[in-house]
Amino acid sequence: MDTFFSSSGSLLAIMAITVALSFYLQRFKGFKLLGPALIVILISIVLANFKIVPFQAEVYGVVAEYAIPLSISMMLLSVDLKLMLQLSKKPIFSLMLAVLSVGIVTVISGIIFAPMIDEGWKIAGMFVGTYTGGSSNLTAIGYGLNASPTTFAAANAADYVVGIPTLIMMFAFPTLAAKSKWFKKHWPYSISEKELDGNEKDAKDAFLESKTWSIQDIAVSFALAFTIAAISTYLAGFAPESFQSAARILLITTIAILSAQLSPVKKVKGNMDLGLFVALFFLATIGYMVNIKEFVGSTLVIALFCFVVIILTLILHVFLCRLFKIEYQYVIIAIVAAIADGTTSALIAASAKWKALVSLAVVLGVLGMVFGNYLGIGVAYLIKFIINV
């Protein structure tokens, strides 16, 4: 049966409409919890399996070729290493413990689960990425490891099925912790209400306000991203063929971070937003290429793998943070910045009225994203070596 739309122009139009709809739906609470990435994937899967768009098309490959390198470059152009070095040591240390916990747990559980799953070692790397810096890392690492569309969709689905209940718990925890005498007795380390209230500068954090860009910001962001992608692609060509895709992602990450430290680049606004916008086009193509009949069977084991990674990571992270006497507010924003992203962590800080921690949560999310690509690809190849696939 032929699909309703098949030309490149019509498919690009549907992608753009789907991406725009995912952002529009963020104004509603239920859809905001899902996030634009999952909404794009779900809509795209439905469109493909109801024969609205084809499972395969030439334009999908073109979008994949450019969207991921550009989106990674744009997002990482927001990394300010000087600002990160000025942060309090405890929240950064808590994030480092979260990253360490994810790495340890994923390696151990990956050795068990990866042999049971098609491309299991790639999924392990993708989970490390998403639980250190968010969905953008999962996408980047999957692309760098040449994961199949079914693997992409299954990993994303498992992440959301297990991750959303975890985030709901995280949103509820600040209120529960503040009222629990048992918790205060066993975790007496806390930031005072006066310190949490912050100051006028914290209340006016850019995360809480509308952003103002110019067409120049957009043009410069695209120019930088294309240049970084081109240089990285050229340099990756010197790596062994089997490692070129991964090398390209690592080079893009490194060059983008270095470029972000230049004063003119720091003045460019909207990089994170543009990066997410471009990445969603790639996720739409992933959804289009998923045949639901083939997809369902592989998801259950992956979901169990994901559940084990999240639960054991939380347990290990909490144990280590308690051992080092870290204030629980730092623990919460750090683990959420790792397993979700800085934006979600900032939302939790804002909803708990931790005004002074809102901007810090965003920065921790960016820092986690920096580590994610390196650690995720490293863990993936380590597991591949251990299980000998």
Side-chain angles (χ1 to χ4, degrees):
M1 178 180 175
D2 293 331
T3 56
F4 197 76
F5 296 101
S6 59
S7 68
S8 295
S10 62
L11 293 175
L12 285 170
I14 294 173
M15 288 181 208
I17 292 169
T18 303
V19 171
L21 180 60
S22 74
F23 284 120
Y24 173 79
L25 292 174
Q26 295 308 294
R27 65 181 62 192
F28 305 107
K29 287 186 178 180
F31 290 105
K32 191 169 187 177
L33 186 61
L34 293 176
L38 182 59
I39 292 172
V40 166
I41 291 173
L42 291 176
I43 293 175
S44 300
I45 289 174
V46 170
L47 291 174
N49 283 271
F50 277 90
K51 306 295 182 181
I52 306 297
V53 299
F55 288 119
Q56 298 289 338
E58 185 178 352
V59 70
Y60 299 168
V62 176
V63 170
E65 179 69 19
Y66 292 101
I68 293 306
L70 289 179
S71 66
I72 298 169
S73 300
M74 288 174 172
M75 289 181 177
L76 291 176
L77 287 173
S78 299
V79 175
D80 189 336
L81 295 178
K82 185 177 179 180
L83 176 62
M84 290 179 181
L85 292 173
Q86 295 172 352
L87 294 177
S88 172
K89 293 180 180 179
K90 282 192 175 181
I92 294 180
F93 186 51
S94 182
L95 180 71
M96 294 299 98
L97 291 176
V99 172
L100 176 66
S101 300
V102 172
I104 293 172
V105 168
T106 306
V107 169
I108 295 172
S109 57
I111 294 171
I112 299 170
F113 282 96
M116 306 179 192
I117 306 167
D118 186 33
E119 296 191 327
W121 64 277
K122 297 180 182 180
I123 289 174
M126 292 162 75
F127 281 163
V128 170
T130 196
Y131 298 136
T132 53
S135 298
S136 60
N137 288 81
L138 182 150
T139 304
I141 291 168
Y143 178 79
L145 297 175
N146 294 315
S148 70
T150 301
T151 297
F152 262 109
N156 271 289
D159 173 32
Y160 281 100
V161 167
V162 179
I164 287 176
T166 305
L167 289 179
I168 292 173
M169 179 182 70
M170 293 297 179
F171 270 100
F173 185 80
T175 301
L176 297 175
K179 295 179 180 180
S180 174
K181 292 181 180 180
W182 179 90
F183 178 78
K184 291 178 181 178
K185 179 182 177 181
H186 290 84
W187 200 303
Y189 316 110
S190 176
I191 305 172
S192 69
E193 289 188 17
K194 183 178 180 181
E195 291 175 303
L196 288 172
D197 192 48
N199 51 43
E200 188 177 352
K201 182 180 179 181
D202 294 316
K204 292 182 178 180
D205 178 71
F207 170 74
L208 302 175
E209 299 179 353
S210 298
K211 297 180 180 66
T212 303
W213 321 344
S214 69
I215 189 64
Q216 181 179 336
D217 290 315
I218 298 173
V220 171
S221 186
F222 270 103
L224 288 170
F226 272 113
T227 302
I228 291 168
I231 294 171
S232 300
T233 301
Y234 173 75
L235 294 176
F238 293 99
E241 188 174 351
S242 61
F243 187 67
Q244 284 183 5
S245 292
R248 186 187 187 200
I249 295 300
L250 294 176
L251 284 166
I252 288 172
T253 301
T254 303
I255 296 173
I257 292 172
L258 293 175
S259 301
Q261 309 319 303
L262 302 174
S263 296
V265 177
K266 290 181 180 180
K267 297 177 182 178
V268 180
K269 300 176 182 177
N271 289 316
M272 290 289 289
D273 303 75
L274 281 174
L276 175 61
F277 173 73
V278 174
L280 290 180
F281 277 81
F282 172 73
L283 292 180
T285 67
I286 291 299
Y288 294 157
M289 291 188 281
V290 173
N291 188 323
I292 200 69
K293 294 178 183 178
E294 300 174 358
F295 169 73
V296 174
S298 63
T299 307
L300 295 178
V301 179
I302 297 174
L304 180 60
F305 182 17
C306 181
F307 176 79
V308 170
V309 169
I310 285 187
I311 295 302
L312 294 185
T313 293
L314 288 173
I315 292 173
L316 180 57
H317 182 244
V318 167
F319 171 77
L320 293 173
C321 287
R322 179 61 180 81
L323 186 67
F324 288 102
K325 302 178 181 181
I326 297 174
E327 288 83 352
Y328 79 86
Q329 291 92 343
Y330 289 149
V331 177
I332 293 295
I333 64 169
I335 194 62
V336 175
I339 67 173
D341 53 39
T343 301
T344 305
S345 183
L347 283 172
I348 288 178
S351 65
K353 297 182 180 179
W354 299 342
K355 296 179 183 178
L357 303 186
V358 173
S359 58
L360 175 62
V362 175
V363 176
L364 289 179
V366 175
L367 187 59
M369 186 170 66
V370 170
F371 288 109
N373 288 343
Y374 298 109
L375 185 62
I377 289 176
V379 166
Y381 277 100
L382 175 60
I383 292 175
K384 181 184 180 183
F385 173 77
I386 293 173
I387 66 175
N388 194 27
V389 294

